[in-house]
Every structure is written in structure tokens, then in C-alpha cells.
Amino acid sequence: MTAKAVKRAFKYRFYPSSAQAAELARTFGCVRLVYNMALAARTQAWTLRQERVNYNTTSALLTGWKKTDELAFLNDVSSVPLQQALRHLQVAFTNFFAKRARYPTFKSKKRSRRSAEYTTSAFRWRDGKLTLAKMAEPLNIVWSRPLPEGASPSTVTVSQDAAGRWFVSLLCDDVIEQTPASGVVGIDAGLDSLLTLSTGEKVTNPRHERCDRKALARAQHAMAKKEKGSANQARARLKVARVHARITDRRRDHLHKLTTRLVRENQTLVIEDLTVRNMVKTRSLARAISDAAWRQFRTMLEYKTDWHGRNLVVVDRWFPSSKLCSTCGALAERMPL
């Protein structure tokens, strides 16, 4: 039995005090503002002067912004999340120039994810309690599962979802035990059955979105009747977000349990390379395909097979999907273990 050292994020829900919530809200707003201003500066530099602006230049710009009267409030929050926002923008441009992603877009106050990232200089981890910069008390975290023994977070990310829930993600060093396995399984994704395995097993599609479709429709209908921009509309929007969050949580939990079982039981897993982005363009199937979350399923398989020392074989798109389960065993056997 071998073990592999990995960087692993552990996500927990927490309940901030009113002072902590206000501080985090200010931080989220400043992070979004700095990101958008840096993106605008980089875009303008390229458009007008064909000049590429890097992280060091935007960091210098941030220093200048803090000295102005209009943006002096940036000094009221921790500087680390602001610097991390500039680093994230640098990564976004790197991916764009490498043709791995689209051109970075501005963060919206209503639609963008509210988050802030803290490195070790901006938080204190002591006796299992986490205290962020600019805060006097530790966060009230619900420890739903323990951290690895002796773990010390290297990065902390605080976020708030559309349903108003607060989360903290701690990036720690972990060791994954790689237990031996000998099975080979082919996996064919579908809609009637979420998965059809080469062993003959069919995994039922739970259709999480369909189960809550009536509740979602009622919440959306109620929100549509509220006056735009009113407090009643904000409360109605929160109810819609809570239904979406319940659907997402159940779907993610089901996929985690399913992928973990498949990875632990088999040494080699064979899947089809599905172009989900193109498939969801079919209007009659888009909702069902999105609910099945094939892309999320593949992402989980990719990092879990890497953690546990398994082989993930991706069959080309031209390969007939109807023959995948009957032939994937032979395909996998020809792959080096």
C-alpha cells in the first residue's frame, strides 16, 4: 500500500457575527472593485498601446489607488485579498493567452460569486480556531468533518453563495492512501439511467432538478410578481436561490458518493469524451443534460483517479457510444496499468 501527498481543500459552513459579516461584505466589495479596475486598466493598455500589463504593474496601480481620496476606503480591509484578486486576474489572462479560456469578464455585484482569499499572513490558526485579519474573534465554524491530523491551512477562502450561506474553505496538506484494486469498468453516461456500467449495472438517474421543479416554479413565479428593486423582490430572490442550492447540494453529494465508489473498486475506468457544451444547445435535452451533470462527474473522476493511483481512459468522441460498454473492457486491457 502506497500513499500520495496532495493539496486538498476542506469546505465548512460558518455563521459570522454581525461585525464579521459587515467586514466580509466590505472585503468582497473591495475585491470586486480592484479586480474590475485592474481588468479595465489591462484592457485599456492593450487597446490603446498594444501593451501587456502584468501582475507587478497592477500591484503598483493598487498602491496608487489606495493613496487617492476616492479609493482611500481600500485601506480599511485586509490588503491580502486585494492582492490575491490581482493574482487571480493574472491567471485568467494566462489561460486566455494560452487559449484555455475566454477573455476575462468584469465581476457583477449581483451575479458574481462573493469570495475573498487569505494567505497565511492574513489569518491566525491556533488551537483549531480560525481568525481572519481585521477581526477580533475567530469564525464560528461548523466542523462537519475533521481536518487531517496536524494539518495547518496554507490558504483560506471565505465565500457567500446566492442563498446567503457562508462558507470557508481551508487548503491543507493531506495524504491519500492508495489501496490496490484490480477491476476494469466502462462507464456510459445517459439520461434514462445516469450511468450504465460494463458490468451490467445501471445507476438510476435521481433527476434532482425535476424533483424540485414545482417548488422552483412557485418561487420564481412569486419573485416575478414582486416590484423590481424592492425588498420583497430581494426576499423572493433569496427563496429561489435556496431551492437552487438544495438541488445543487443533493446533486453534488450523489456524484461524490458514486465517483468515490467507482474509484475505490476499480483500477481502470473508461469513459466517453462527451462534448457537453454542444449537447446542451439542443433545447429539448438541455435541461435534462444539465441536471445529469456529466461534466461535474468527469471532473470528480479525474482528480479522484489521480489521488488514488487509478487509470482513467477517455474514449474519443468518434467512438460509437452504443458500443462503449461492450468493448471498453478490451480497450482498457490494452492500456498500461
Side-chain angles (χ1 to χ4, degrees):
M1 182 183 298
T2 59
K4 181 175 182 177
V6 298
K7 285 283 189 179
R8 190 174 181 180
F10 294 83
K11 190 174 182 179
Y12 303 93
R13 191 170 178 180
F14 75 98
Y15 297 87
S17 64
S18 57
Q20 290 174 336
E23 177 62 31
L24 289 173
R26 284 194 296 270
T27 303
F28 292 159
C30 292
V31 165
R32 183 180 64 253
L33 176 63
V34 168
Y35 184 95
N36 288 343
M37 291 179 64
L39 174 56
R42 296 181 69 143
T43 302
Q44 186 179 30
W46 177 257
T47 303
L48 299 181
R49 302 183 297 276
Q50 299 294 298
E51 175 187 350
R52 286 193 179 184
V53 177
N54 57 22
Y55 162 76
N56 292 332
T57 304
T58 55
S59 181
L61 287 174
L62 175 59
T63 302
W65 294 336
K66 288 183 176 182
K67 295 178 180 179
T68 63
D69 295 336
E70 296 80 3
L71 299 175
F73 60 85
L74 293 177
N75 294 290
D76 297 337
V77 301
S78 173
S79 62
V80 172
L82 307 184
Q83 294 290 343
Q84 291 299 101
L86 298 180
R87 291 189 174 93
H88 293 163
L89 181 61
Q90 178 63 37
V91 172
F93 270 100
T94 300
N95 291 333
F96 167 72
F97 289 123
K99 298 183 179 181
R100 293 191 295 265
R102 296 181 180 180
Y103 193 83
T105 58
F106 292 99
K107 291 184 178 295
S108 168
K109 183 177 182 179
K110 293 183 179 180
R111 296 179 178 85
S112 298
R113 176 172 176 263
R114 291 159 55 88
S115 65
E117 186 176 277
Y118 297 78
T119 57
T120 52
S121 61
F123 67 84
R124 182 173 70 250
W125 174 256
R126 185 177 300 169
D127 299 329
K129 295 183 178 181
L130 177 67
T131 306
L132 301 178
K134 303 287 185 177
M135 294 185 185
E137 299 178 351
L139 299 181
N140 180 19
I141 301 175
V142 179
W143 298 103
S144 54
R145 55 174 173 163
L147 289 175
E149 186 176 356
S152 180
S154 58
T155 304
V156 170
T157 302
V158 180
S159 61
Q160 185 184 29
D161 67 4
R165 302 178 301 177
W166 296 86
F167 296 95
V168 58
S169 179
L170 292 81
L171 186 65
C172 304
D173 292 320
D174 194 13
V175 176
I176 305 295
E177 298 293 339
Q178 298 181 339
T179 57
S182 58
V184 178
V185 65
I187 305 170
D188 188 16
L191 295 177
D192 291 334
S193 297
L194 181 62
L195 301 177
T196 301
L197 307 183
S198 57
T199 58
E201 178 186 354
K202 291 187 176 181
V203 179
T204 304
N205 187 354
R207 303 181 189 274
H208 299 289
E209 188 271 340
R210 178 180 290 185
C211 293
D212 269 345
R213 189 169 295 178
K214 289 184 178 180
L216 181 60
R218 284 195 299 267
Q220 290 174 331
H221 180 67
M223 183 179 70
K225 294 194 298 182
K226 300 296 186 292
E227 182 181 352
K228 187 175 181 180
S230 65
N232 285 335
Q233 187 193 46
R235 284 191 289 268
R237 183 184 292 112
L238 189 61
K239 291 182 179 179
V240 173
R242 286 171 179 168
V243 178
H244 278 298
R246 184 167 64 244
I247 295 171
T248 302
D249 289 347
R250 290 208 306 261
R251 181 188 296 124
R252 183 173 53 247
D253 180 69
H254 180 261
L255 291 179
H256 268 303
K257 293 175 180 177
L258 181 59
T259 52
T260 298
R261 177 174 71 87
L262 291 173
V263 169
R264 286 179 175 174
E265 293 177 353
N266 301 278
Q267 176 61 34
T268 302
L269 300 92
V270 186
I271 61 175
E272 187 179 6
D273 187 13
L274 298 175
T275 53
V276 179
R277 180 180 299 178
N278 294 332
M279 296 174 72
V280 295
K281 294 179 181 179
T282 305
R283 296 186 61 182
S284 59
L285 297 176
R287 200 167 190 173
I289 292 174
S290 299
D291 194 21
W294 293 336
R295 180 67 244 183
Q296 188 177 14
F297 171 77
R298 175 171 171 175
T299 300
M300 290 182 179
L301 276 186
E302 287 174 345
Y303 75 76
K304 289 183 181 181
T305 51
D306 178 61
W307 281 359
H308 292 273
R310 305 295 196 248
N311 301 312
L312 181 63
V313 181
V314 181
V315 179
D316 292 336
R317 290 190 297 271
W318 54 262
F319 194 83
S321 60
S322 60
K323 298 181 180 179
L324 178 62
C325 284
S326 61
T327 60
C328 62
L331 285 171
E333 288 173 1
R334 293 200 296 269
M335 298 297 295
L337 301 181

